[in-house]
Amino acid sequence: MAITIKDIAKKAQVSRTTVSRVLNDSGYVKEETRKKVMDVIKELNYTPSAIARSLSTSKTNTIGIIVPEINNPFFGEIIKGISQIADENNLNIILCNTDDKRDKELKALKLLKEQRIEGIIITPTYAEDHFSSEYLNTLEHIGIPIILLDGYVKYSEFSGIFIDHIKGAYDATRALINAGHKKIAIINGKQNYTITKDRFKGYVKALNENNIIIEDKYVFYGDFDYESSYEITKKILSMEDRPSAIFVTSNMMILGTIKALYEQNINIPKDMAIIGFDKLDLVNILGMNISSVNGPTIEMGKAGMKMLIDKLNNVSQNDEIKRRIIVPELVLKGSEKFIP
Amino acid sequence: MAITIKDIAKKAQVSRTTVSRVLNDSGYVKEETRKKVMDVIKELNYTPSAIARSLSTSKTNTIGIIVPEINNPFFGEIIKGISQIADENNLNIILCNTDDKRDKELKALKLLKEQRIEGIIITPTYAEDHFSSEYLNTLEHIGIPIILLDGYVKYSEFSGIFIDHIKGAYDATRALINAGHKKIAIINGKQNYTITKDRFKGYVKALNENNIIIEDKYVFYGDFDYESSYEITKKILSMEDRPSAIFVTSNMMILGTIKALYEQNINIPKDMAIIGFDKLDLVNILGMNISSVNGPTIEMGKAGMKMLIDKLNNVSQNDEIKRRIIVPELVLKGSEKFIP
DNA sequence: CTGAAAGCGCTAACAC
DNA sequence: GTGTTAGCGCTTTCAG
């Protein structure tokens, strides 16, 4: 790593400025000189230091991504979308994984600020629980453009791409109603999460509009993981007055539901109709044909990155808040049918 | 971003050196002075520049990760493992996604070198096809510690964590033989890939050891994707002298096989036994109980990161090549049984 | 315990 | 077309 622009300059018998010029294609350099410099660069296997350049230009060409669970395909796809657009714009990515913990989010935010990155795309953890004042303070005074992806941060206003969970849940529930169902259960996520509340609102709205009474006994809360909905589904199956359909609000949870149904030889949708939330690629690859409302993932990443780039290019009205709300797409595959 | 160590120094009426000292807990600072400096830092909401620090110390505390497909859960888990250990050691991560393309790998390598990162963990694309001389040249002369994860790079020798694909395939095949199968088909990946060849070797070895003749008609090549094995499986099912078991060598491909089997109401394992390669979490969540040999993912990431850290700490014998080979774990769930 | 000064590798006016 | 010079923001001897 010892070799610098100085070494190149000396060996090529020019000034550092000239080397810099050929490196950046800026200003005028005689073709002959350029060639000489290039040769030395090749010969010495020189790679310029982005660090030094960043310090000098105050530009890092780097953005930060903060996600709760890098191993969840949902976020994997988001990152893929982001990285595609970042690539096209020659932006590097610093990745921070938070294990769904608010304090690690805070740490990541600080780290990214130290790195003097140009902007941040964050998919915050959904937990609505714990906003320390330090967290909010950091977020608000960070002085770096931030784009929220499918997030919700209390007390604060940020630009971002949001999913309309209410509408998604509404569409899913209505699909079941339209198919003829009247007894519709919901297996929702953790009760104190915003997305959980939003999805419940959509469910309620659809039922209300169709004059179906919301029965408490049909409302269940899991923890987003499949075991919880596996147990809940078994419980549902053993109910006296059991529903004819279940709306399961997360991609992991619907797996548990399917498992419980298969185990007891319950035919989908004949004996029990179901509809899910979020993409179920793997399940459908297996040929199961489960209906769902799908939040776009790769597209969300792309849209977020584009919004960030826009922000970076319009430093003037930097403080304007932009929000784009994406309504999940309803994809019907037959699992929602009512077959009396 | 205007505010620097100088501003802090001025306002706190000390020298930059002193500010630096309290920032880094280095050297002696009178408690009183420290407090004064800290207060100003808080007041001005100052965050030191990692860029400037890096330039000054020649340390970036950053490593690079290069993966072919960030949206594939396999790599998501690897990254999770890496990021866990990186976190514990206060190392940042720059992420590069290559879309399984060798030229993007090259680009990523150069970029990371410019960023003066401390080390690189790379999971190269498996394609054995195209190694430009520039690629190999860059790789060999990059002057940064590199750890290979489950990779194979022709002509070159690197430290890394490797999966014993031969042994894995051997174990899988033998599990079928031990269960009583004699007619065993294999649905393998792309024919020119190293992992494909290795897995075939393991298959052959197990059959040979048990005096079972390798029948060409039972050997199939897909493209790692599920459609290919879906079609191949349908073909297998329609064979005159059809096998009683199939070894499917990738996590995506076995989904296609399962789909074909389900569609035709072929009971697993009664009418057709199967065994896969790589984890099948989602499938097993559904309660399908498919046997497989599992390459560890999170563990691989962790092991790779630890190996890299070791390397960084022993700059002296930096050139020593370390290889750790992990044998995939055989997990039997019943889908391999022979039920005549 | 604290400060002055040099330097990390590069860019960007400004001269020539 | 090319070189000189002064930083970018921080750390680090070396003095005191």
Side-chain angles (χ1 to χ4, degrees):
Chain A
M1 218 56 48
I3 152 155
T4 78
I5 203 174
K6 216 170 167 180
D7 304 313
I8 305 295
K10 194 190 288 176
K11 184 137 191 180
Q13 304 181 66
V14 295
S15 73
R16 287 176 298 172
T17 313
T18 303
V19 177
S20 174
R21 278 202 263 265
V22 345
L23 241 29
N24 300 293
D25 273 326
S26 62
Y28 301 92
V29 182
K30 207 201 295 171
E31 185 49 37
E32 199 189 318
T33 321
R34 143 173 277 108
K35 200 179 164 319
K36 192 168 58 182
V37 172
M38 286 301 260
D39 285 349
V40 177
I41 287 176
K42 274 262 163 60
E43 192 191 334
L44 267 49
N45 188 27
Y46 164 72
T47 308
S49 158
I51 305 286
R53 180 178 295 162
S54 290
L55 185 61
S56 179
T57 58
S58 326
K59 287 195 61 53
T60 53
N61 290 320
T62 300
I63 61 133
I65 303 183
I66 304 180
V67 293
E69 283 185 275
I70 176 68
N71 54 322
N72 181 328
F74 181 81
F75 299 109
E77 301 225 317
I78 286 181
I79 295 176
K80 188 191 172 112
I82 295 175
S83 97
Q84 256 174 43
I85 306 298
D87 242 46
E88 289 168 14
N89 291 273
N90 281 314
L91 256 18
N92 310 321
I93 290 173
I94 294 190
L95 177 71
C96 302
N97 186 47
T98 66
D99 290 328
D100 221 357
K101 299 204 185 93
R102 190 74 67 192
D103 60 327
K104 289 190 93 178
E105 249 175 42
L106 178 58
K107 232 183 111 185
L109 246 17
K110 288 183 177 169
L111 181 151
L112 291 175
K113 184 166 183 196
E114 285 190 0
Q115 300 291 334
R116 298 293 190 261
I117 53 159
E118 318 282 353
I120 296 176
I121 300 186
I122 178 171
T123 317
T125 169
Y126 293 121
E128 198 184 313
D129 43 4
H130 191 62
F131 288 91
S132 67
S133 63
E134 190 187 2
Y135 179 85
L136 288 169
N137 189 52
T138 305
L139 209 52
E140 277 160 12
H141 299 301
I142 194 161
I144 299 173
I146 293 189
I147 301 289
L148 245 47
L149 244 41
D150 191 24
Y152 170 96
V153 176
K154 226 168 157 179
Y155 309 127
S156 306
E157 294 277 320
F158 292 97
S159 294
I161 316 290
F162 300 85
I163 291 182
D164 191 337
H165 294 283
I166 301 182
K167 182 67 161 59
Y170 171 80
D171 286 345
T173 310
R174 216 179 45 168
L176 294 172
I177 296 171
N178 287 348
H181 295 280
K182 303 228 178 303
K183 297 177 183 176
I184 300 172
I186 178 172
I187 302 182
N188 211 335
K190 283 190 187 162
Q191 212 169 149
N192 62 328
Y193 280 33
T194 313
I195 50 168
T196 302
K197 291 175 185 169
D198 279 356
R199 288 170 181 178
F200 185 64
K201 280 183 201 157
Y203 167 80
V204 168
K205 187 179 169 210
L207 293 186
N208 277 344
E209 276 185 17
N210 290 274
N211 300 311
I212 300 174
I213 292 164
I214 289 99
E215 305 256 23
D216 282 354
K217 64 178 179 186
Y218 290 158
V219 177
F220 299 88
Y221 292 97
D223 61 3
F224 290 116
D225 215 348
Y226 62 92
E227 282 106 347
S228 64
S229 67
Y230 172 70
E231 296 302 333
I232 292 170
T233 306
K234 283 202 295 190
K235 207 182 295 169
I236 291 176
L237 290 176
S238 67
M239 284 176 76
E240 297 236 329
D241 185 24
R242 95 178 188 198
S244 65
I246 312 176
F247 167 34
V248 188
T249 69
S250 100
N251 55 352
M252 288 312 280
M253 289 203 297
I254 201 157
L255 299 177
T257 295
I258 295 172
K259 178 179 183 182
L261 262 26
Y262 267 76
E263 265 184 19
Q264 304 201 18
N265 264 308
I266 307 290
N267 182 281
I268 303 171
K270 207 165 125 289
D271 304 321
M272 181 63 79
I274 60 174
I275 190 162
F277 208 115
D278 292 336
K279 269 192 206 145
L280 301 164
D281 289 343
L282 249 55
V283 175
N284 285 318
I285 286 172
L286 290 172
M288 287 185 165
N289 298 317
I290 307 297
S291 304
S292 59
V293 282
N294 300 336
T297 49
I298 295 192
E299 285 311 319
M300 237 175 93
K302 286 190 185 176
M305 188 66 219
K306 282 181 184 160
M307 187 179 274
L308 180 55
I309 290 176
D310 270 6
K311 257 206 154 122
L312 298 179
N313 293 340
N314 299 310
V315 190
S316 50
Q317 63 252 67
N318 208 357
D319 42 355
E320 181 194 355
I321 291 173
K322 280 189 195 161
R323 291 166 169 267
R324 183 161 151 215
I325 293 169
I326 303 186
V327 175
E329 183 193 13
L330 180 66
V331 179
L332 263 22
K333 301 218 165 200
S335 73
E336 82 291 354
K337 293 219 175 101
F338 181 60
I339 304 176
Chain B
M1 217 56 49
I3 151 154
T4 77
I5 203 173
K6 217 169 167 179
D7 304 312
I8 305 294
K10 193 189 290 175
K11 185 138 191 178
Q13 304 181 67
V14 294
S15 73
R16 287 177 299 175
T17 313
T18 303
V19 177
S20 174
R21 278 202 264 266
V22 345
L23 242 30
N24 299 295
D25 272 327
S26 64
Y28 300 91
V29 181
K30 205 201 295 172
E31 185 49 37
E32 198 190 317
T33 320
R34 145 173 275 108
K35 200 179 163 318
K36 192 168 57 183
V37 172
M38 286 302 260
D39 285 349
V40 177
I41 287 177
K42 273 262 162 61
E43 191 192 333
L44 267 49
N45 189 25
Y46 164 72
T47 309
S49 158
I51 305 287
R53 180 178 293 161
S54 290
L55 184 61
S56 180
T57 58
S58 325
K59 287 192 63 52
T60 53
N61 290 320
T62 301
I63 62 134
I65 302 184
I66 304 179
V67 293
E69 282 185 277
I70 176 67
N71 54 323
N72 181 330
F74 182 81
F75 298 108
E77 300 223 319
I78 286 180
I79 295 176
K80 188 192 172 110
I82 295 175
S83 97
Q84 255 173 45
I85 306 297
D87 242 44
E88 289 168 14
N89 292 272
N90 282 313
L91 256 20
N92 309 322
I93 291 172
I94 292 189
L95 177 71
C96 301
N97 186 47
T98 66
D99 290 328
D100 222 359
K101 301 208 181 90
R102 190 74 67 193
D103 60 328
K104 289 191 92 179
E105 249 176 43
L106 178 57
K107 231 183 110 186
L109 248 17
K110 288 184 177 169
L111 180 151
L112 291 175
K113 184 167 184 196
E114 284 191 0
Q115 299 292 334
R116 299 293 190 261
I117 52 159
E118 318 282 353
I120 296 176
I121 299 186
I122 176 170
T123 316
T125 169
Y126 293 121
E128 199 184 315
D129 43 4
H130 191 61
F131 289 90
S132 66
S133 63
E134 190 188 1
Y135 179 84
L136 289 169
N137 190 52
T138 305
L139 209 52
E140 277 159 13
H141 300 301
I142 194 161
I144 299 173
I146 293 188
I147 301 289
L148 243 48
L149 244 41
D150 191 25
Y152 169 97
V153 176
K154 225 169 157 177
Y155 310 128
S156 306
E157 295 277 321
F158 292 97
S159 293
I161 315 290
F162 300 86
I163 291 181
D164 191 337
H165 294 283
I166 300 182
K167 181 68 162 56
Y170 170 80
D171 285 345
T173 310
R174 216 179 46 169
L176 294 172
I177 296 172
N178 287 347
H181 295 280
K182 304 228 178 302
K183 298 177 182 175
I184 301 172
I186 178 173
I187 303 181
N188 211 336
K190 283 189 186 163
Q191 211 168 152
N192 62 329
Y193 281 32
T194 314
I195 49 168
T196 302
K197 290 175 185 167
D198 278 357
R199 288 168 181 179
F200 186 64
K201 280 183 201 159
Y203 168 80
V204 167
K205 187 179 170 211
L207 294 185
N208 277 344
E209 276 185 15
N210 290 274
N211 300 311
I212 300 174
I213 291 164
I214 288 97
E215 305 257 24
D216 281 353
K217 66 177 178 185
Y218 291 157
V219 177
F220 299 88
Y221 292 97
D223 62 2
F224 290 114
D225 215 347
Y226 63 91
E227 283 107 347
S228 64
S229 68
Y230 172 70
E231 295 302 333
I232 291 169
T233 305
K234 284 202 295 191
K235 206 183 294 169
I236 291 176
L237 291 176
S238 67
M239 284 175 77
E240 298 237 329
D241 186 23
R242 97 179 187 195
S244 65
I246 312 175
F247 167 34
V248 188
T249 70
S250 99
N251 55 351
M252 287 313 281
M253 289 203 298
I254 201 158
L255 299 177
T257 296
I258 294 171
K259 179 179 182 180
L261 261 26
Y262 267 75
E263 266 183 18
Q264 305 201 18
N265 264 309
I266 307 289
N267 181 282
I268 302 171
K270 206 164 126 288
D271 305 321
M272 182 63 78
I274 61 173
I275 191 164
F277 208 115
D278 290 336
K279 268 192 209 144
L280 300 164
D281 287 345
L282 248 57
V283 175
N284 286 317
I285 286 173
L286 290 172
M288 287 187 165
N289 297 318
I290 307 298
S291 305
S292 59
V293 282
N294 299 337
T297 48
I298 296 191
E299 285 311 318
M300 239 175 91
K302 286 190 185 178
M305 189 66 221
K306 281 181 185 162
M307 186 178 275
L308 180 55
I309 289 175
D310 270 5
K311 257 207 156 125
L312 298 179
N313 293 338
N314 300 310
V315 190
S316 50
Q317 62 253 65
N318 208 355
D319 42 355
E320 180 195 354
I321 291 173
K322 280 189 196 162
R323 289 167 171 267
R324 184 163 149 214
I325 294 170
I326 303 186
V327 176
E329 182 193 15
L330 180 66
V331 178
L332 263 23
K333 303 219 167 199
S335 73
E336 83 290 356
K337 295 217 175 102
F338 181 59
I339 303 175

